[in-house]
Amino acid sequence: MGKNVEIPLLTAEDIECRISTVKATGGSILLYKDARCDMRILDSVFGIYGWQRQNELIDGQLFCTVRVQNPETKEWISKQDVGTESYTEKEKGRASDAFKRACFNIGIGRELYTAPFIWITWKGNEYNNGKPRIDLKVKSIKYNSRREIVDLVIVDKDGNIRYSMTNKPKKDIPLKKDPIDDAFDLAFQEIKEAKSGDDLASIFNRWSGLQSSKQFISALTERRQQLGIFKSNEIDAKTV
């Protein structure tokens, strides 16, 4: 048998920032990779002749299968996942999303699931008429031996640090009269936007303070069923 192929960890340049939950005081940020990043890494690791992709409709859902070839044994391995449509180009969005998910299964960018909860506080005129206007990027990112994120710095277009995992200002966490309400709002918004079982597991683990809430568990279970995922040991253990 050949050696396992090492999938490189994403660099700061590979990762993009997307605003998730939006409030008047600030917003939560999700880290993601695009399809071009996946293709570049597939080319780098397996060569342009060493991987394939195929889309197919199964029960009305668009799936993507990515096949990669072991450079030593020449054996082909397949990974498949389903995509969800985007807000703009539905079919193109589904195809791209399915491809990116299949690449997650191969191991490309899986470390993003270890990202912390990221909250950015708006400054100046960054929030107008209910919409945020801000460009963010990852300045630096570090991982431990388990391929988990241990340090992360996000900056705006002017280079100002807006989030630091190891030196996060307390004021970056908005608190109102009832902090648990904000926690519920943010957690439920993340659940609504979850696109895979791994997303839901990450949300479940990150919001440990809500794990005793029946409402929180119910929302996770409902989203899991919407995605067609019928088994989750961690979540099921809390719903017994």
Tab-separated table of all heavy atoms in Angstrom, residues 152-212:
chain	number	residue	atom	x	y	z
A	152	LEU	N	-5.457	33.275	14.650
A	152	LEU	CA	-6.127	33.834	13.481
A	152	LEU	C	-6.205	35.344	13.630
A	152	LEU	O	-6.597	35.853	14.678
A	152	LEU	CB	-7.538	33.241	13.365
A	152	LEU	CG	-8.453	33.816	12.291
A	152	LEU	CD1	-7.952	33.451	10.898
A	152	LEU	CD2	-9.879	33.306	12.499
A	153	VAL	N	-5.816	36.054	12.587
A	153	VAL	CA	-5.910	37.515	12.580
A	153	VAL	C	-6.642	37.937	11.307
A	153	VAL	O	-6.271	37.540	10.200
A	153	VAL	CB	-4.521	38.180	12.636
A	153	VAL	CG1	-4.663	39.697	12.537
A	153	VAL	CG2	-3.787	37.802	13.909
A	154	ILE	N	-7.676	38.762	11.473
A	154	ILE	CA	-8.458	39.282	10.349
A	154	ILE	C	-8.330	40.797	10.325
A	154	ILE	O	-8.451	41.451	11.363
A	154	ILE	CB	-9.935	38.868	10.475
A	154	ILE	CG1	-10.053	37.342	10.345
A	154	ILE	CG2	-10.785	39.553	9.417
A	154	ILE	CD1	-11.460	36.823	10.549
A	155	VAL	N	-8.093	41.351	9.147
A	155	VAL	CA	-7.918	42.795	9.009
A	155	VAL	C	-8.899	43.339	7.971
A	155	VAL	O	-9.443	42.591	7.148
A	155	VAL	CB	-6.478	43.155	8.591
A	155	VAL	CG1	-5.484	42.697	9.647
A	155	VAL	CG2	-6.134	42.526	7.235
A	156	ASP	N	-9.110	44.671	8.015
A	156	ASP	CA	-9.948	45.311	6.995
A	156	ASP	C	-9.069	45.781	5.845
A	156	ASP	O	-7.853	45.543	5.826
A	156	ASP	CB	-10.767	46.454	7.594
A	156	ASP	CG	-9.901	47.526	8.247
A	156	ASP	OD1	-8.736	47.696	7.837
A	156	ASP	OD2	-10.385	48.211	9.184
A	157	LYS	N	-9.663	46.475	4.872
A	157	LYS	CA	-8.931	46.875	3.669
A	157	LYS	C	-7.807	47.861	3.962
A	157	LYS	O	-6.872	48.007	3.168
A	157	LYS	CB	-9.885	47.489	2.648
A	157	LYS	CG	-10.549	48.773	3.117
A	157	LYS	CD	-11.467	49.323	2.044
A	157	LYS	CE	-12.115	50.633	2.488
A	157	LYS	NZ	-13.012	51.183	1.436
A	158	ASP	N	-7.878	48.539	5.117
A	158	ASP	CA	-6.832	49.479	5.504
A	158	ASP	C	-5.747	48.826	6.363
A	158	ASP	O	-4.826	49.503	6.815
A	158	ASP	CB	-7.446	50.656	6.263
A	158	ASP	CG	-8.409	51.457	5.398
A	158	ASP	OD1	-8.081	51.682	4.216
A	158	ASP	OD2	-9.478	51.841	5.907
A	159	GLY	N	-5.877	47.532	6.594
A	159	GLY	CA	-4.887	46.823	7.379
A	159	GLY	C	-5.119	46.867	8.880
A	159	GLY	O	-4.276	46.375	9.645
A	160	ASN	N	-6.252	47.431	9.300
A	160	ASN	CA	-6.550	47.477	10.731
A	160	ASN	C	-7.016	46.104	11.225
A	160	ASN	O	-7.854	45.468	10.579
A	160	ASN	CB	-7.653	48.502	11.014
A	160	ASN	CG	-7.268	49.901	10.579
A	160	ASN	OD1	-6.192	50.386	10.922
A	160	ASN	ND2	-8.140	50.547	9.821
A	161	ILE	N	-6.476	45.657	12.349
A	161	ILE	CA	-6.874	44.367	12.905
A	161	ILE	C	-8.295	44.469	13.451
A	161	ILE	O	-8.589	45.282	14.314
A	161	ILE	CB	-5.906	43.914	14.022
A	161	ILE	CG1	-4.508	43.667	13.438
A	161	ILE	CG2	-6.431	42.650	14.705
A	161	ILE	CD1	-3.471	43.272	14.479
A	162	ARG	N	-9.181	43.631	12.930
A	162	ARG	CA	-10.580	43.636	13.376
A	162	ARG	C	-10.926	42.412	14.215
A	162	ARG	O	-11.963	42.379	14.864
A	162	ARG	CB	-11.500	43.723	12.155
A	162	ARG	CG	-11.192	44.909	11.244
A	162	ARG	CD	-11.287	46.247	11.993
A	162	ARG	NE	-12.628	46.495	12.455
A	162	ARG	CZ	-13.552	47.128	11.727
A	162	ARG	NH1	-13.242	47.602	10.518
A	162	ARG	NH2	-14.762	47.331	12.212
A	163	TYR	N	-10.088	41.397	14.136
A	163	TYR	CA	-10.268	40.213	14.983
A	163	TYR	C	-8.917	39.541	15.178
A	163	TYR	O	-8.148	39.377	14.233
A	163	TYR	CB	-11.234	39.210	14.358
A	163	TYR	CG	-11.340	37.919	15.153
A	163	TYR	CD1	-12.239	37.793	16.208
A	163	TYR	CD2	-10.516	36.840	14.868
A	163	TYR	CE1	-12.318	36.630	16.952
A	163	TYR	CE2	-10.578	35.671	15.612
A	163	TYR	CZ	-11.482	35.567	16.651
A	163	TYR	OH	-11.544	34.427	17.395
A	164	SER	N	-8.632	39.174	16.425
A	164	SER	CA	-7.427	38.410	16.750
A	164	SER	C	-7.834	37.296	17.702
A	164	SER	O	-8.383	37.558	18.768
A	164	SER	CB	-6.371	39.309	17.403
A	164	SER	OG	-5.255	38.528	17.819
A	165	MET	N	-7.565	36.075	17.312
A	165	MET	CA	-7.974	34.924	18.111
A	165	MET	C	-7.268	34.892	19.461
A	165	MET	O	-7.848	34.492	20.467
A	165	MET	CB	-7.688	33.635	17.337
A	165	MET	CG	-8.185	32.374	17.993
A	165	MET	SD	-7.948	30.967	16.883
A	165	MET	CE	-8.481	29.616	17.929
A	166	THR	N	-6.013	35.324	19.500
A	166	THR	CA	-5.230	35.261	20.730
A	166	THR	C	-5.253	36.556	21.532
A	166	THR	O	-4.785	36.598	22.655
A	166	THR	CB	-3.767	34.902	20.418
A	166	THR	OG1	-3.232	35.861	19.497
A	166	THR	CG2	-3.675	33.514	19.815
A	167	ASN	N	-5.799	37.633	20.928
A	167	ASN	CA	-5.850	38.913	21.640
A	167	ASN	C	-7.135	39.634	21.274
A	167	ASN	O	-7.124	40.709	20.674
A	167	ASN	CB	-4.635	39.773	21.279
A	167	ASN	CG	-4.564	41.039	22.120
A	167	ASN	OD1	-5.072	41.083	23.237
A	167	ASN	ND2	-3.949	42.071	21.573
A	168	LYS	N	-8.264	39.013	21.628
A	168	LYS	CA	-9.562	39.535	21.236
A	168	LYS	C	-10.075	40.537	22.260
A	168	LYS	O	-10.233	40.207	23.436
A	168	LYS	CB	-10.552	38.381	21.101
A	168	LYS	CG	-11.927	38.805	20.629
A	168	LYS	CD	-12.801	37.595	20.336
A	168	LYS	CE	-12.994	36.739	21.550
A	168	LYS	NZ	-13.929	35.623	21.302
A	169	PRO	N	-10.345	41.781	21.845
A	169	PRO	CA	-10.878	42.776	22.782
A	169	PRO	C	-12.235	42.346	23.323
A	169	PRO	O	-13.059	41.809	22.594
A	169	PRO	CB	-11.017	44.039	21.909
A	169	PRO	CG	-10.146	43.794	20.724
A	169	PRO	CD	-10.156	42.320	20.504
A	170	LYS	N	-12.474	42.582	24.594
A	170	LYS	CA	-13.742	42.203	25.196
A	170	LYS	C	-14.916	42.913	24.539
A	170	LYS	O	-16.003	42.368	24.439
A	170	LYS	CB	-13.719	42.504	26.695
A	170	LYS	CG	-12.729	41.641	27.475
A	170	LYS	CD	-12.796	41.971	28.952
A	170	LYS	CE	-11.810	41.082	29.729
A	170	LYS	NZ	-11.845	41.397	31.187
A	171	LYS	N	-14.690	44.135	24.072
A	171	LYS	CA	-15.799	44.891	23.497
A	171	LYS	C	-16.267	44.310	22.172
A	171	LYS	O	-17.313	44.691	21.646
A	171	LYS	CB	-15.399	46.351	23.276
A	171	LYS	CG	-14.277	46.540	22.248
A	171	LYS	CD	-13.943	48.003	22.094
A	171	LYS	CE	-12.837	48.215	21.071
A	171	LYS	NZ	-12.508	49.648	20.928
A	172	ASP	N	-15.499	43.382	21.585
A	172	ASP	CA	-15.906	42.772	20.329
A	172	ASP	C	-17.057	41.796	20.512
A	172	ASP	O	-17.622	41.312	19.543
A	172	ASP	CB	-14.735	42.042	19.673
A	172	ASP	CG	-13.848	43.003	18.906
A	172	ASP	OD1	-14.196	44.188	18.811
A	172	ASP	OD2	-12.815	42.564	18.424
A	173	ILE	N	-17.406	41.456	21.762
A	173	ILE	CA	-18.518	40.566	22.031
A	173	ILE	C	-19.682	41.420	22.535
A	173	ILE	O	-19.650	41.902	23.666
A	173	ILE	CB	-18.166	39.495	23.082
A	173	ILE	CG1	-16.942	38.705	22.610
A	173	ILE	CG2	-19.343	38.578	23.330
A	173	ILE	CD1	-16.483	37.671	23.601
A	174	PRO	N	-20.695	41.650	21.707
A	174	PRO	CA	-21.778	42.546	22.106
A	174	PRO	C	-22.666	41.914	23.167
A	174	PRO	O	-23.106	40.788	23.019
A	174	PRO	CB	-22.560	42.758	20.806
A	174	PRO	CG	-22.322	41.499	20.040
A	174	PRO	CD	-20.929	41.066	20.390
A	175	LEU	N	-22.934	42.635	24.221
A	175	LEU	CA	-23.806	42.157	25.279
A	175	LEU	C	-24.942	43.142	25.474
A	175	LEU	O	-24.747	44.349	25.524
A	175	LEU	CB	-23.029	42.003	26.601
A	175	LEU	CG	-21.903	40.978	26.602
A	175	LEU	CD1	-21.198	40.993	27.949
A	175	LEU	CD2	-22.431	39.585	26.309
A	176	LYS	N	-26.148	42.618	25.584
A	176	LYS	CA	-27.311	43.458	25.825
A	176	LYS	C	-27.866	43.119	27.202
A	176	LYS	O	-27.213	42.486	28.018
A	176	LYS	CB	-28.346	43.229	24.730
A	176	LYS	CG	-27.853	43.668	23.343
A	176	LYS	CD	-28.934	43.490	22.292
A	176	LYS	CE	-28.415	43.944	20.924
A	176	LYS	NZ	-29.438	43.774	19.875
A	177	LYS	N	-29.101	43.495	27.427
A	177	LYS	CA	-29.703	43.246	28.722
A	177	LYS	C	-29.752	41.754	29.033
A	177	LYS	O	-29.612	41.344	30.159
A	177	LYS	CB	-31.109	43.852	28.753
A	177	LYS	CG	-31.125	45.378	28.714
A	177	LYS	CD	-32.537	45.906	28.786
A	177	LYS	CE	-32.538	47.433	28.740
A	177	LYS	NZ	-33.910	47.979	28.791
A	178	ASP	N	-30.001	40.953	28.020
A	178	ASP	CA	-30.059	39.509	28.199
A	178	ASP	C	-29.120	38.849	27.204
A	178	ASP	O	-29.509	38.577	26.068
A	178	ASP	CB	-31.489	39.001	27.990
A	178	ASP	CG	-31.636	37.547	28.406
A	178	ASP	OD1	-30.610	36.937	28.759
A	178	ASP	OD2	-32.766	37.040	28.381
A	179	PRO	N	-27.869	38.595	27.572
A	179	PRO	CA	-26.881	38.056	26.646
A	179	PRO	C	-27.307	36.742	26.016
A	179	PRO	O	-26.925	36.449	24.885
A	179	PRO	CB	-25.640	37.874	27.535
A	179	PRO	CG	-25.836	38.823	28.666
A	179	PRO	CD	-27.304	38.845	28.911
A	180	ILE	N	-28.089	35.916	26.731
A	180	ILE	CA	-28.449	34.620	26.181
A	180	ILE	C	-29.312	34.762	24.938
A	180	ILE	O	-29.282	33.935	24.036
A	180	ILE	CB	-29.197	33.764	27.241
A	180	ILE	CG1	-29.260	32.292	26.779
A	180	ILE	CG2	-30.575	34.311	27.509
A	180	ILE	CD1	-27.921	31.630	26.702
A	181	ASP	N	-30.099	35.883	24.854
A	181	ASP	CA	-30.910	36.116	23.664
A	181	ASP	C	-30.036	36.303	22.437
A	181	ASP	O	-30.333	35.797	21.357
A	181	ASP	CB	-31.804	37.345	23.858
A	181	ASP	CG	-32.936	37.081	24.842
A	181	ASP	OD1	-33.234	35.894	25.084
A	181	ASP	OD2	-33.499	38.051	25.365
A	182	ASP	N	-28.960	37.074	22.590
A	182	ASP	CA	-28.030	37.255	21.481
A	182	ASP	C	-27.393	35.932	21.087
A	182	ASP	O	-27.202	35.636	19.905
A	182	ASP	CB	-26.927	38.253	21.867
A	182	ASP	CG	-27.367	39.690	21.645
A	182	ASP	OD1	-28.411	39.892	20.992
A	182	ASP	OD2	-26.685	40.600	22.128
A	183	ALA	N	-27.033	35.122	22.075
A	183	ALA	CA	-26.422	33.824	21.805
A	183	ALA	C	-27.372	32.956	20.987
A	183	ALA	O	-26.966	32.315	20.003
A	183	ALA	CB	-26.045	33.133	23.113
A	184	PHE	N	-28.646	32.939	21.393
A	184	PHE	CA	-29.633	32.163	20.651
A	184	PHE	C	-29.756	32.677	19.220
A	184	PHE	O	-29.764	31.896	18.264
A	184	PHE	CB	-31.001	32.243	21.339
A	184	PHE	CG	-31.224	31.182	22.383
A	184	PHE	CD1	-31.433	31.529	23.699
A	184	PHE	CD2	-31.203	29.840	22.048
A	184	PHE	CE1	-31.627	30.556	24.669
A	184	PHE	CE2	-31.391	28.861	23.002
A	184	PHE	CZ	-31.612	29.214	24.316
A	185	ASP	N	-29.854	33.983	19.056
A	185	ASP	CA	-30.002	34.564	17.722
A	185	ASP	C	-28.843	34.174	16.819
A	185	ASP	O	-29.034	33.776	15.665
A	185	ASP	CB	-30.093	36.091	17.809
A	185	ASP	CG	-31.414	36.561	18.418
A	185	ASP	OD1	-32.345	35.747	18.500
A	185	ASP	OD2	-31.487	37.739	18.815
A	186	LEU	N	-27.622	34.307	17.326
A	186	LEU	CA	-26.445	34.011	16.532
A	186	LEU	C	-26.349	32.521	16.203
A	186	LEU	O	-26.049	32.137	15.071
A	186	LEU	CB	-25.184	34.461	17.279
A	186	LEU	CG	-25.051	35.967	17.499
A	186	LEU	CD1	-23.861	36.270	18.406
A	186	LEU	CD2	-24.893	36.687	16.176
A	187	ALA	N	-26.613	31.688	17.219
A	187	ALA	CA	-26.522	30.240	17.014
A	187	ALA	C	-27.573	29.772	16.009
A	187	ALA	O	-27.269	28.971	15.108
A	187	ALA	CB	-26.699	29.517	18.344
A	188	PHE	N	-28.803	30.262	16.110
A	188	PHE	CA	-29.858	29.829	15.208
A	188	PHE	C	-29.611	30.304	13.784
A	188	PHE	O	-29.960	29.620	12.825
A	188	PHE	CB	-31.216	30.326	15.707
A	188	PHE	CG	-31.679	29.645	16.967
A	188	PHE	CD1	-32.642	30.209	17.773
A	188	PHE	CD2	-31.125	28.432	17.365
A	188	PHE	CE1	-33.049	29.583	18.948
A	188	PHE	CE2	-31.530	27.804	18.521
A	188	PHE	CZ	-32.487	28.375	19.321
A	189	GLN	N	-28.999	31.476	13.641
A	189	GLN	CA	-28.659	31.950	12.303
A	189	GLN	C	-27.604	31.045	11.668
A	189	GLN	O	-27.682	30.714	10.483
A	189	GLN	CB	-28.137	33.395	12.374
A	189	GLN	CG	-27.801	34.008	11.011
A	189	GLN	CD	-29.022	34.180	10.130
A	189	GLN	OE1	-30.114	34.398	10.624
A	189	GLN	NE2	-28.829	34.059	8.831
A	190	GLU	N	-26.629	30.617	12.468
A	190	GLU	CA	-25.604	29.699	11.960
A	190	GLU	C	-26.225	28.356	11.578
A	190	GLU	O	-25.842	27.751	10.568
A	190	GLU	CB	-24.505	29.503	13.011
A	190	GLU	CG	-23.644	30.726	13.220
A	190	GLU	CD	-22.464	30.440	14.131
A	190	GLU	OE1	-22.108	29.265	14.286
A	190	GLU	OE2	-21.915	31.392	14.705
A	191	ILE	N	-27.159	27.871	12.402
A	191	ILE	CA	-27.832	26.606	12.097
A	191	ILE	C	-28.588	26.720	10.773
A	191	ILE	O	-28.537	25.828	9.925
A	191	ILE	CB	-28.799	26.220	13.237
A	191	ILE	CG1	-28.012	25.862	14.499
A	191	ILE	CG2	-29.687	25.050	12.824
A	191	ILE	CD1	-28.870	25.673	15.729
A	192	LYS	N	-29.275	27.832	10.583
A	192	LYS	CA	-30.040	28.060	9.358
A	192	LYS	C	-29.143	28.029	8.130
A	192	LYS	O	-29.551	27.566	7.066
A	192	LYS	CB	-30.765	29.406	9.459
A	192	LYS	CG	-31.632	29.739	8.256
A	192	LYS	CD	-32.321	31.081	8.439
A	192	LYS	CE	-33.151	31.443	7.224
A	192	LYS	NZ	-33.818	32.767	7.383
A	193	GLU	N	-27.899	28.511	8.267
A	193	GLU	CA	-26.982	28.587	7.132
A	193	GLU	C	-26.104	27.358	7.002
A	193	GLU	O	-25.322	27.241	6.054
A	193	GLU	CB	-26.100	29.832	7.264
A	193	GLU	CG	-26.886	31.135	7.215
A	193	GLU	CD	-25.991	32.352	7.362
A	193	GLU	OE1	-24.802	32.169	7.648
A	193	GLU	OE2	-26.496	33.470	7.193
A	194	ALA	N	-26.201	26.410	7.946
A	194	ALA	CA	-25.386	25.191	7.887
A	194	ALA	C	-25.709	24.403	6.618
A	194	ALA	O	-26.866	24.300	6.211
A	194	ALA	CB	-25.632	24.333	9.122
A	195	LYS	N	-24.681	23.827	6.016
A	195	LYS	CA	-24.874	23.114	4.759
A	195	LYS	C	-24.437	21.658	4.816
A	195	LYS	O	-24.474	20.953	3.806
A	195	LYS	CB	-24.112	23.831	3.632
A	195	LYS	CG	-24.640	25.230	3.351
A	195	LYS	CD	-23.887	25.881	2.214
A	195	LYS	CE	-24.440	27.277	1.920
A	195	LYS	NZ	-23.720	27.941	0.802
A	196	SER	N	-23.993	21.197	5.967
A	196	SER	CA	-23.542	19.811	6.071
A	196	SER	C	-23.612	19.349	7.523
A	196	SER	O	-23.764	20.157	8.448
A	196	SER	CB	-22.109	19.673	5.555
A	196	SER	OG	-21.208	20.320	6.431
A	197	GLY	N	-23.455	18.049	7.698
A	197	GLY	CA	-23.403	17.490	9.045
A	197	GLY	C	-22.213	18.006	9.822
A	197	GLY	O	-22.308	18.229	11.032
A	198	ASP	N	-21.096	18.209	9.128
A	198	ASP	CA	-19.908	18.744	9.792
A	198	ASP	C	-20.163	20.162	10.287
A	198	ASP	O	-19.706	20.553	11.367
A	198	ASP	CB	-18.700	18.732	8.842
A	198	ASP	CG	-18.131	17.342	8.658
A	198	ASP	OD1	-18.375	16.481	9.527
A	198	ASP	OD2	-17.448	17.118	7.652
A	199	ASP	N	-20.909	20.965	9.488
A	199	ASP	CA	-21.262	22.320	9.919
A	199	ASP	C	-22.063	22.265	11.214
A	199	ASP	O	-21.794	23.013	12.166
A	199	ASP	CB	-22.096	23.015	8.845
A	199	ASP	CG	-21.274	23.432	7.645
A	199	ASP	OD1	-20.038	23.345	7.715
A	199	ASP	OD2	-21.866	23.833	6.633
A	200	LEU	N	-23.050	21.371	11.258
A	200	LEU	CA	-23.909	21.272	12.433
A	200	LEU	C	-23.129	20.784	13.651
A	200	LEU	O	-23.331	21.276	14.764
A	200	LEU	CB	-25.079	20.325	12.146
A	200	LEU	CG	-26.097	20.833	11.125
A	200	LEU	CD1	-27.122	19.754	10.811
A	200	LEU	CD2	-26.787	22.092	11.612
A	201	ALA	N	-22.230	19.818	13.439
A	201	ALA	CA	-21.416	19.328	14.557
A	201	ALA	C	-20.524	20.432	15.106
A	201	ALA	O	-20.339	20.565	16.319
A	201	ALA	CB	-20.575	18.136	14.106
A	202	SER	N	-19.973	21.259	14.194
A	202	SER	CA	-19.120	22.368	14.618
A	202	SER	C	-19.920	23.391	15.425
A	202	SER	O	-19.457	23.889	16.453
A	202	SER	CB	-18.493	23.043	13.390
A	202	SER	OG	-17.713	24.153	13.767
A	203	ILE	N	-21.146	23.691	14.974
A	203	ILE	CA	-22.002	24.632	15.701
A	203	ILE	C	-22.351	24.068	17.073
A	203	ILE	O	-22.306	24.766	18.084
A	203	ILE	CB	-23.281	24.912	14.889
A	203	ILE	CG1	-22.928	25.662	13.596
A	203	ILE	CG2	-24.282	25.722	15.714
A	203	ILE	CD1	-24.062	25.743	12.602
A	204	PHE	N	-22.696	22.775	17.113
A	204	PHE	CA	-23.050	22.116	18.377
A	204	PHE	C	-21.910	22.204	19.376
A	204	PHE	O	-22.103	22.539	20.548
A	204	PHE	CB	-23.390	20.651	18.093
A	204	PHE	CG	-23.643	19.826	19.322
A	204	PHE	CD1	-24.848	19.898	20.002
A	204	PHE	CD2	-22.665	18.974	19.810
A	204	PHE	CE1	-25.077	19.140	21.134
A	204	PHE	CE2	-22.880	18.210	20.934
A	204	PHE	CZ	-24.095	18.297	21.606
A	205	ASN	N	-20.688	21.939	18.930
A	205	ASN	CA	-19.535	21.967	19.831
A	205	ASN	C	-19.163	23.378	20.244
A	205	ASN	O	-18.760	23.625	21.387
A	205	ASN	CB	-18.335	21.280	19.165
A	205	ASN	CG	-18.533	19.789	19.001
A	205	ASN	OD1	-19.159	19.154	19.845
A	205	ASN	ND2	-18.024	19.223	17.924
A	206	ARG	N	-19.301	24.342	19.313
A	206	ARG	CA	-18.890	25.713	19.596
A	206	ARG	C	-19.826	26.384	20.615
A	206	ARG	O	-19.377	27.132	21.476
A	206	ARG	CB	-18.849	26.523	18.297
A	206	ARG	CG	-18.382	27.955	18.483
A	206	ARG	CD	-17.929	28.570	17.183
A	206	ARG	NE	-18.964	28.624	16.191
A	206	ARG	CZ	-19.004	27.900	15.085
A	206	ARG	NH1	-18.052	27.024	14.848
A	206	ARG	NH2	-19.987	28.013	14.212
A	207	TRP	N	-21.123	26.093	20.516
A	207	TRP	CA	-22.093	26.707	21.426
A	207	TRP	C	-22.374	25.755	22.582
A	207	TRP	O	-23.522	25.343	22.816
A	207	TRP	CB	-23.383	27.053	20.683
A	207	TRP	CG	-23.199	28.138	19.680
A	207	TRP	CD1	-22.985	28.007	18.350
A	207	TRP	CD2	-23.192	29.548	19.930
A	207	TRP	NE1	-22.842	29.229	17.744
A	207	TRP	CE2	-22.970	30.200	18.689
A	207	TRP	CE3	-23.362	30.327	21.087
A	207	TRP	CZ2	-22.899	31.578	18.577
A	207	TRP	CZ3	-23.293	31.695	20.962
A	207	TRP	CH2	-23.067	32.313	19.723
A	208	SER	N	-21.345	25.425	23.336
A	208	SER	CA	-21.470	24.459	24.436
A	208	SER	C	-22.448	24.944	25.515
A	208	SER	O	-23.093	24.144	26.185
A	208	SER	CB	-20.101	24.173	25.065
A	208	SER	OG	-19.498	25.385	25.524
A	209	GLY	N	-22.565	26.259	25.672
A	209	GLY	CA	-23.447	26.799	26.692
A	209	GLY	C	-24.929	26.612	26.373
A	209	GLY	O	-25.777	26.795	27.250
A	210	LEU	N	-25.235	26.260	25.117
A	210	LEU	CA	-26.629	26.077	24.721
A	210	LEU	C	-27.017	24.615	24.588
A	210	LEU	O	-28.164	24.310	24.243
A	210	LEU	CB	-26.887	26.790	23.378
A	210	LEU	CG	-26.651	28.299	23.331
A	210	LEU	CD1	-26.924	28.824	21.925
A	210	LEU	CD2	-27.532	29.018	24.340
A	211	GLN	N	-26.081	23.711	24.855
A	211	GLN	CA	-26.344	22.292	24.611
A	211	GLN	C	-27.432	21.709	25.505
A	211	GLN	O	-27.988	20.655	25.204
A	211	GLN	CB	-25.051	21.491	24.762
A	211	GLN	CG	-24.057	21.758	23.651
A	211	GLN	CD	-22.749	21.006	23.833
A	211	GLN	OE1	-22.598	20.220	24.782
A	211	GLN	NE2	-21.799	21.220	22.944
A	212	SER	N	-27.743	22.394	26.598
A	212	SER	CA	-28.816	21.909	27.469
A	212	SER	C	-30.173	22.477	27.070
A	212	SER	O	-31.195	22.145	27.677
A	212	SER	CB	-28.512	22.278	28.933
A	212	SER	OG	-28.420	23.691	29.079
